[in-house]
């Protein structure tokens, strides 16, 4: 099966998230478990273990780490991605989210919708960057990429 069956976010050493960040995390985790697509591509030099996969997602030494195991807890893959390509889009995403959360409290629906469209655009950009960074390492669909980008933002928030 080509999916993530379990995900563990290593946020043990991070400060407590805000209620908004915690909500984003819960929704992304729930949505990921409900529906995702995650494929490890074939390699010439070795066999790729079949899924479903357990994913450990963390930031170590300023790198985003994907640690994958099979359902039997055998190592399937591990890859480290530079955080540099994500920094600006994560910063922009947090700024627009802050504006969105404030807008929901006071602004009319038309203005909230405009901010939400901008928020989704930045989120889509982060998801696109993630898919590019995973090229050759893992194949994920757009929805999975968006949800994983949300979790990367959660880790960035604490880091």
């Amino acid at each position: 099966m080509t999916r993530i069956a379990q995900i563990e976010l290593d946020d043990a050493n991070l400060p407590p998230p805000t209620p908004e960040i915690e909500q984003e995390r819960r929704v992304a985790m729930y949505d990921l478990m409900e529906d995702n697509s995650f494929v490890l591509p074939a390699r010439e030099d070795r066999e790729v273990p079949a899924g479903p996969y357990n994913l450990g997602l963390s930031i170590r030494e300023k790198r985003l780490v994907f640690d994958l195991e099979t359902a039997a807890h055998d190592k399937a893959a591990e890859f480290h991605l530079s955080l540099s390509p994500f920094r600006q889009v994560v910063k922009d995403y947090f700024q627009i989210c802050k504006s969105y959360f404030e807008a929901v409290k006071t602004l009319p629906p038309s203005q909230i919708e405009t901010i939400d469209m901008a928020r989704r655009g930045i989120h889509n950009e982060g998801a696109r960057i993630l898919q590019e960074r995973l090229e050759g390492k893992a194949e994920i669909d757009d929805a999975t990429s968006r949800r994983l980008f949300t979790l990367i933002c959660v880790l960035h928030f604490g880091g």
Side-chain angles (χ1 to χ4, degrees), residues 7-8 13 20 25 30 35 40 43 57-58 61 71 84 114 119 129-130 134-137 152 155:
I7 187 162
E8 184 176 323
N13 296 321
E20 293 88 0
R25 172 193 165 138
Y30 177 82
D35 183 35
L40 293 176
R43 304 269 189 222
L57 192 61
S58 62
E61 299 174 8
S84 296
T114 301
R119 183 174 72 121
I129 291 169
L130 178 59
L134 288 175
E135 192 170 320
K137 296 171 179 63
I152 292 166
L155 289 173

Side-chain angles (χ1 to χ4, degrees), residues 39-136:
V39 178
L40 293 176
R43 304 269 189 222
E44 291 180 17
D45 58 338
R46 63 181 161 80
E47 189 175 318
V48 177
Y53 303 104
N54 299 330
L55 170 63
L57 192 61
S58 62
I59 293 180
R60 282 189 252 148
E61 299 174 8
K62 298 184 180 183
R63 300 186 69 77
L64 179 63
V65 178
F66 284 74
D67 188 5
L68 293 141
E69 294 181 343
T70 65
H73 300 288
D74 295 323
K75 187 71 146 184
E78 182 175 308
F79 31 91
H80 300 231
L81 306 177
S82 171
L83 287 170
S84 296
F86 295 101
R87 282 201 176 91
Q88 187 61 51
V89 72
V90 168
K91 181 181 176 184
D92 293 346
Y93 184 66
F94 277 124
Q95 287 176 334
I96 198 78
C97 283
K98 184 178 179 182
S99 296
Y100 175 78
F101 295 136
E102 288 300 315
V104 169
K105 297 174 188 173
T106 60
L107 295 178
S110 62
Q111 288 178 300
I112 294 169
E113 185 177 329
T114 301
I115 295 169
D116 190 44
M117 287 174 57
R119 183 174 72 121
R120 281 181 282 170
I122 294 169
H123 198 258
N124 287 340
E125 175 65 11
R128 184 192 61 75
I129 291 169
L130 178 59
Q131 284 178 314
E132 286 176 1
R133 302 297 301 153
L134 288 175
E135 192 170 320

